[in-house]
């Protein structure tokens, strides 16, 4: 593995932990505002992002390098509405997709084939993650002025199983 690719993967580990932290902050907002189902969904998503971070962490170690943890930013924790929470989640996923693409491009340029193979999983995962969050945003837009439907949607989100949006292999 080249130094550049190693450093970029280490930065991505921090970015995945950052996403985990951010989802947990979103869960806190939702639960504080009594959207308990959304809170549960976001907690599971937070755990999933931690799984992504650890998957890259394990990859770096498996390639006989030291995984290094960088700092993570304080996540946004104030939102105007539950819809805004999920809009923010979608923007975050789109940003991560760009990061993964850039990382894949770097691994390709540097001919680090093992990293390319590892990153394939993340490219596929991002397609799934964007899709599931985009669907939730669309549903919130449909029901946002109907409190009974909003409560139903919150209940539906609370029924999420741990592996719904994909877990690391
Ligand atoms: Fe992730
Ligand atoms: Fe994600």
């Amino acid at each position: 593995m080249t130094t550049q690719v190693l450093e970029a993967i280490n930065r991505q580990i921090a970015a995945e932990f950052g996403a985990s932290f951010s989802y947990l902050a979103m869960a806190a907002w939702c639960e504080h505002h009594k959207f308990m189902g959304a809170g549960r969904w976001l907690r599971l998503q937070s755990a999933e992002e931690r799984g992504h971070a650890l998957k890259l962490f394990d990859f770096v170690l498996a390639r006989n390098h030291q995984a290094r943890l960088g700092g993570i930013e304080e996540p946004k924790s104030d939102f105007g509405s539950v819809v805004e929470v999920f809009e923010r989640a979608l923007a975050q996923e789109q940003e991560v997709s760009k990061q993964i693409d850039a990382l894949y491009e770097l691994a390709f340029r540097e001919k680090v084939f093992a990293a390319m193979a590892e990153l394939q999983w993340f490219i596929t995962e991002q397609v799934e993650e964007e899709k599931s969050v985009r669907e939730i945003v669309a549903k919130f837009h449909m029901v946002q002025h109907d409190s009974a439907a909003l409560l139903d949607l919150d209940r539906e989100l609370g029924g999420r199983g741990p592996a719904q949006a994909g877990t690391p292999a």
Side-chain angles (χ1 to χ4, degrees):
M1 182 139 51
T2 67
T3 310
Q4 253 197 310
V5 171
L6 176 61
E7 283 174 359
I9 293 178
N10 278 331
R11 277 196 301 276
Q12 192 61 36
I13 292 172
E16 298 292 341
F17 276 120
S20 174
F21 219 41
S22 173
Y23 275 120
L24 196 58
M26 291 174 189
W29 187 93
C30 287
E31 292 186 16
H32 182 57
H33 291 84
K34 309 303 170 235
F35 290 104
M36 305 311 279
R40 178 177 142 73
W41 192 97
L42 290 159
R43 279 176 188 254
L44 287 170
Q45 191 59 34
S46 173
E48 211 168 272
E49 297 297 348
R50 182 174 185 278
H52 295 170
L54 290 176
K55 185 164 162 57
L56 288 174
F57 181 87
D58 289 346
F59 173 72
V60 168
L61 289 167
R63 298 307 294 156
N64 203 28
H65 293 283
Q66 185 178 347
R68 291 183 188 275
L69 302 176
I72 54 177
E73 271 178 45
E74 180 180 336
K76 180 178 166 67
S77 43
D78 291 313
F79 302 92
S81 64
V82 68
V83 193
E84 195 190 310
V85 169
F86 282 89
E87 282 170 345
R88 172 81 190 180
L90 179 57
Q92 180 174 297
E93 288 303 337
Q94 287 167 333
E95 188 53 42
V96 171
S97 296
K98 279 190 208 156
Q99 292 166 353
I100 298 290
D101 285 353
L103 193 48
Y104 188 82
E105 191 186 359
L106 178 67
F108 174 76
R109 265 204 322 259
E110 304 261 317
K111 299 188 169 62
V112 183
F113 301 114
M116 287 172 68
E118 177 68 19
L119 291 166
Q120 286 278 357
W121 185 92
F122 283 86
I123 291 173
T124 308
E125 175 70 5
Q126 281 312 117
V127 172
E128 260 318 298
E129 297 226 318
E130 278 191 42
K131 176 178 179 283
S132 58
V133 180
R134 193 176 295 115
E135 283 169 6
I136 295 169
V137 169
K139 285 181 186 174
F140 270 116
H141 282 154
M142 287 175 221
V143 305
Q144 61 180 324
H145 303 299
D146 177 346
S147 25
L150 193 58
L151 283 176
D152 276 345
L153 178 52
D154 184 58
R155 197 171 304 121
E156 182 191 322
L157 290 173
R160 172 183 175 169
Q164 190 189 314
T167 38

